[in-house]
Amino acid sequence: MKTLTKYQQIIKHNLGILSLIIILPLFFMVTPTSMAAPGPELIKDINPTSQSGSSIYSLRAGSELLFFSAQTENHSDTRQIWTSNGTSAGTLKMTDFDRSKYDIQISNNSYQVVNNIYFFSIRRWSDNVYELWRSDGTSVGTFKLTDLPSYLDNRFQATGAGGLYYFVPWDDENYGRELWSSDGTVAGTGMVKDINPGTGSSSPHNLMEVNGALYFLSGDDLWVSDGTSSGTRLVANFEGGLYRDMRLITKVNNVIYLAYLSGESIPYQLWRHDTNSGQTVLIKHFSGLLSDTTSYTAVSDMLYFIAKGSEAEAYDLWKSDGTPDGTVIVKALNETNPGYTGWNLSNFNGTLLFRARDAEHGIELWKSDGTATGTFMVKDVAEGDTNSRLSCFTAVGDKLFFVKTLLYSIGGDLWVSDGTEAGTIDLDIGARQDICPVNFNGQLHFYGSDRSTKDYGSELYKYSFTDIIPTAPVISVTTNGTKVNISWRGIANAEGYTLLYAPYPYTGPESIGSIEIGNMTVLSEELWNGASFYVAVQSYRSDSVSEYSNVMLFTIGQ
């Protein structure tokens, strides 16, 4: 095994500690040599030739990688699919479509990451056929799954459940608009069930995952699916008719809540369906419920929502424990134009944060602990009676990020709040409200730019309030004949890895060697019969080094 010296100072600094690990041998906690300062950080300038930026869309986070589409020059003909592990070196282009033959579709609802596979679609110009593709962040794992009967409409939210990607192509000349799924393989991609047999459409919508199963609405009916035709069945029928509308709005633990426009004298109803017992129960009548999901959220075991009581003239903040008696008003907000408010109800560490209006301040950031006295404005973000246009509420750790935009603009400023007035601040960096930030491995990743350039929406950034230190990998070692294989799962914020090794029996610190192996997460070496070594791995960035991994001992031939 060859010894390199690029990281020799790091190795020497920790030789004493490492020798203890090897002698014991035990996993030993080590303080990293340095750490990065909190704050915004440009991940990669994908389109360095223009201030218009890389035009990122469909930003999604898996547990290991980010995925998105972007263009490398200032025109759409360069748009391709990209992936990133949160570092510049790990931000890579995954596709190389001939843009004279294919067009990458832009969607912020249809594209999802399921089991660390990114699902997206392209259009073939020759016959105007849409194709479903997948990528796992590798070249070999990026390929076409199937031709689609039609495009994936951005108004229909796709979702993942039970390891499957569920989606709804807009139309099919043979079956109409029906539910499809994919497990990421060619053979495992296709229509789940022709719910409305023949060319008619069942139009599945409001797709939602609950305990690994998919729940969705078809007309006024609630359905469940496990991804098979036989396992796709009707759960509840609400006998809807003309001008009646059922909305699957949110879930609280194992309970699904539904808003129903019944057509009766008091037309709105709040229902619940218990996925464990299978019971579907009417909770309460209202004279007004909202259909958008941002007007409902779960906080602990309670549902919070915006509604107009059966005898009320305006919309207020309500909560429900799923029972009629436990469905009560929290605070009178007296909102007569609820659709304009854009409530953005969000669960923030067990506290409700949302947008609401009062006469003195306009629409601003509010919070609630579930009581009237504990429901109040956090901060007047846009001072005076000017309304704050706040969107993209994204929780990361103990912070809530959001985007504040100007009227008639998609560009704005990134803000953060800890739920207090003093802790609600402008982060002095631009962001976009149409491509919301995502939480990736405890850091906010977003499409934004240095606000001083006035170019809101430029490149891929991340923001962290914690020291950015790569974590230590967990290694596994196998032998086959005279070959040893050492592997580990990649660390999202690592730029590379160093292998440390020492012979067995251990002869002292001078016998410890290192191999700098870059971005590889698998190392195979041909050794000799009887070779015996201790091995460990560290991940690193340019500004910090992780603790040591677990230490493994192997012997060739045993």
Side-chain angles (χ1 to χ4, degrees), residues 15-228:
L15 281 181
I17 298 175
L18 182 60
S19 64
L20 286 176
I21 298 175
I22 294 175
I23 291 171
L24 292 175
L26 293 172
F27 178 68
F28 205 85
M29 301 299 292
V30 184
T31 302
T33 58
S34 61
M35 56 189 66
E41 178 183 347
L42 174 67
I43 296 177
K44 191 179 184 72
D45 190 358
I46 294 173
N47 182 6
T49 62
S50 172
Q51 286 189 345
S52 64
S54 56
S55 185
I56 286 175
Y57 278 94
S58 309
L59 179 64
R60 293 289 182 267
S63 63
E64 299 176 355
L65 292 170
L66 287 167
F67 295 89
F68 55 94
S69 71
Q71 55 193 42
T72 55
E73 298 177 20
N74 193 24
H75 54 84
S76 60
D77 287 348
T78 62
R79 180 170 299 279
Q80 301 290 344
I81 300 298
W82 288 70
T83 186
S84 177
N85 65 357
T87 69
S88 179
T91 302
L92 306 169
K93 187 171 66 172
M94 286 291 98
T95 61
D96 192 18
F97 293 118
D98 183 341
R99 299 286 286 151
S100 67
K101 299 179 180 179
Y102 300 96
D103 176 41
I104 294 177
Q105 301 298 287
I106 293 175
S107 174
N108 285 324
N109 286 328
S110 298
Y111 301 169
Q112 299 292 336
V113 176
V114 181
N115 279 354
N116 291 311
I117 296 175
Y118 183 59
F119 294 87
F120 63 97
S121 69
I122 66 172
R123 177 169 56 175
R124 199 165 60 225
W125 288 116
S126 61
D127 53 5
N128 203 33
V129 168
Y130 293 84
E131 302 176 0
L132 181 67
W133 281 63
R134 56 148 282 171
S135 177
D136 63 1
T138 67
S139 296
V140 69
T142 304
F143 54 84
K144 173 185 172 181
L145 291 171
T146 190
D147 286 347
L148 295 172
S150 184
Y151 61 94
L152 303 183
D153 193 279
N154 198 43
R155 292 170 294 181
F156 285 78
Q157 179 77 49
T159 195
L164 297 176
Y165 166 67
Y166 289 94
F167 60 102
V168 182
W170 178 247
D171 201 7
D172 187 321
E173 63 180 4
N174 296 314
Y175 300 102
R177 192 178 308 125
E178 297 292 350
L179 181 68
W180 285 51
S181 72
S182 177
D183 62 2
T185 68
V186 173
T189 302
M191 187 176 69
V192 176
K193 184 173 185 143
D194 189 8
I195 295 173
N196 185 2
T199 58
S201 298
S202 67
S203 300
H205 59 281
N206 290 94
L207 279 61
M208 179 184 293
E209 182 275 336
V210 182
N211 290 336
L214 177 76
Y215 286 81
F216 63 95
L217 293 174
S218 175
D220 291 322
D221 298 332
L222 178 63
W223 287 70
V224 66
S225 179
D226 62 2
T228 67

Side-chain angles (χ1 to χ4, degrees), residues 476-523:
S476 62
V477 178
T478 61
T479 60
N480 184 10
T482 58
K483 177 178 284 188
V484 59
N485 299 298
I486 307 168
S487 62
W488 56 94
R489 183 182 292 273
I491 303 301
N493 60 339
E495 294 177 353
Y497 306 93
T498 302
L499 175 76
L500 308 175
Y501 64 93
Y504 174 83
Y506 178 62
T507 59
E510 67 280 354
S511 67
I512 300 174
S514 67
I515 300 176
E516 155 55 21
I517 53 178
N519 290 323
M520 294 191 304
T521 57
V522 176
L523 184 67

Side-chain angles (χ1 to χ4, degrees), residues 259-335:
Y260 187 42
L261 172 58
S262 68
E264 299 175 359
S265 57
I266 301 178
Y268 292 90
Q269 303 171 354
L270 182 66
W271 289 71
R272 56 168 282 167
H273 173 78
D274 190 316
T275 61
N276 287 335
S277 68
Q279 290 185 326
T280 306
V281 179
L282 171 64
I283 299 174
K284 198 177 188 70
H285 287 274
F286 292 87
S287 60
L289 286 172
L290 301 180
S291 60
D292 65 295
T293 57
T294 69
S295 300
Y296 306 81
T297 197
V299 179
S300 298
D301 295 329
M302 300 293 291
L303 170 72
Y304 286 83
F305 60 103
I306 304 299
K308 182 163 55 171
S310 59
E311 299 179 358
E313 297 297 325
Y315 286 78
D316 303 309
L317 178 64
W318 288 68
K319 67 180 180 180
S320 176
D321 63 1
T323 67
D325 291 341
T327 302
V328 295
I329 187 171
V330 176
K331 188 179 181 71
L333 301 176
N334 300 314
E335 178 58 69

